[in-house]
Amino acid sequence: MATPLEDVGKQVWRGALFLADYILFQWDLFRGCTILELGAGTGLASIVAATVAQTVYCTDVGADLLAMCQRNVALNSHLTASGGGVVKVRELDWLKDDLCTDPDVLFSWSEEDISDLYNHTTILLAAEVFYDDDLTDALFKTLCRLAHKLKNACTAILSVEKRLNFTLSHLDVTCEAYDHFRSSLYRLEKLEDCQLRFAVEPVEASFPQRLAYERIPQLELWKIFVEPVTSPIASASTAP
């Protein structure tokens, strides 16, 4: 049975559990960090990350979805209380260039939030959000835009499931959404940017499984390392 597009964020997908397992395995990587999750859905990965992180911005779109996410955060606050981690549920629309700062809008951003986000974020997360080519393009555009605003170098960790579907256009089983995702990774790594360098690498899926789900071979994790471009130091013979 297919899930309506507008409801995909309201259930826990395997890729989110896969990402949560990686967080549990690599606690030291997330400890004390400020983290931004894009397309958080139920908030699972954000909640798990907040058990060791300092602040997690758990973002998505839609008042109903964000309200559900906020309830999940509240119901699991005992998991984050001991470590002092804070989960802040906020709206972040990949189709808009700016964050919503209207105080009359639920889950909008305060100036303090935005300052903290740009000054301290070092990890970005996204799980199972690569099912529609237009949204995948919007996600990568958002990732680039945010990376240029962040003060620090950052690492994006992306979870994806390679889904095989029979398509009438090809009369064959294909994985078009996954192929588009991989093409987007390739284009990002080859991007000629005078300010930032993007390096992409897969994550070996040999880390322990602690959560209950079927860990199928089609589940993948990818890391994108974002660092500032450093100008080469001129030698004595080339310096003006």
Side-chain angles (χ1 to χ4, degrees):
M1 181 180 296
T3 301
L5 193 61
E6 65 271 17
D7 291 335
V8 294
K10 297 179 180 178
Q11 57 184 297
V12 177
W13 296 89
R14 268 190 298 245
L17 292 158
F18 189 51
L19 177 58
D21 259 342
Y22 182 73
I23 296 169
L24 292 171
F25 173 65
Q26 290 281 20
W27 266 6
D28 287 344
L29 176 64
F30 300 89
R31 192 178 305 278
C33 290
T34 297
I35 298 172
L36 169 65
E37 184 179 9
L38 300 167
T42 62
L44 171 68
S46 287
I47 293 168
V48 173
T51 59
V52 290
Q54 179 173 321
T55 304
V56 181
Y57 289 97
C58 176
T59 71
D60 215 311
V61 292
D64 290 347
L65 178 59
L66 291 169
M68 179 190 69
C69 190
Q70 183 68 70
R71 290 194 297 271
N72 289 339
V73 169
L75 288 169
N76 291 279
S77 59
H78 61 287
L79 299 176
T80 61
S82 60
V86 176
V87 180
K88 296 185 176 183
V89 178
R90 297 290 183 267
E91 177 186 295
L92 199 159
D93 189 337
W94 307 342
L95 302 178
K96 297 179 180 178
D97 290 339
D98 299 315
L99 301 174
C100 178
T101 57
D102 185 344
D104 294 328
V105 175
L106 291 174
F107 307 108
S108 62
W109 296 75
S110 68
E111 293 302 323
E112 181 182 358
D113 289 337
I114 294 174
S115 177
D116 180 50
L117 175 75
Y118 292 152
N119 287 327
H120 299 113
T121 298
T122 54
I123 295 177
L124 295 89
L125 305 174
E128 289 277 42
V129 296
F130 308 104
Y131 50 85
D132 176 87
D133 290 355
D134 290 338
L135 289 178
T136 295
D137 291 343
L139 181 281
F140 276 94
K141 180 181 178 182
T142 298
L143 180 62
C144 287
R145 184 173 66 248
L146 289 169
H148 281 88
K149 293 183 177 181
L150 297 182
K151 180 180 179 180
N152 300 299
C154 65
T155 301
I157 305 172
L158 313 179
S159 172
V160 61
E161 181 176 330
K162 184 178 181 180
R163 288 189 170 84
L164 302 174
N165 297 291
F166 180 84
T167 62
L168 291 175
S169 59
H170 294 87
L171 293 178
D172 198 0
V173 175
T174 64
C175 44
E176 291 182 317
Y178 173 80
D179 290 342
H180 189 77
F181 165 74
R182 289 295 302 271
S183 296
S184 299
L185 283 178
Y186 178 80
R187 288 194 300 270
L188 182 65
E189 191 166 34
K190 299 301 180 182
L191 183 67
E192 293 185 2
D193 190 304
C194 61
Q195 295 179 293
L196 297 175
R197 179 183 296 110
F198 298 86
V200 177
E201 71 175 35
V203 176
E204 176 62 46
S206 58
F207 50 90
Q209 179 174 347
R210 298 185 180 182
L211 304 175
Y213 62 100
E214 183 183 5
R215 184 178 284 191
I216 59 176
Q218 291 78 21
L219 286 171
E220 297 180 0
L221 282 182
W222 291 82
K223 282 186 178 181
I224 302 172
F225 301 98
V226 186
E227 297 180 341
V229 172
T230 55
S231 301
I233 300 174
S235 65
S237 59
T238 60

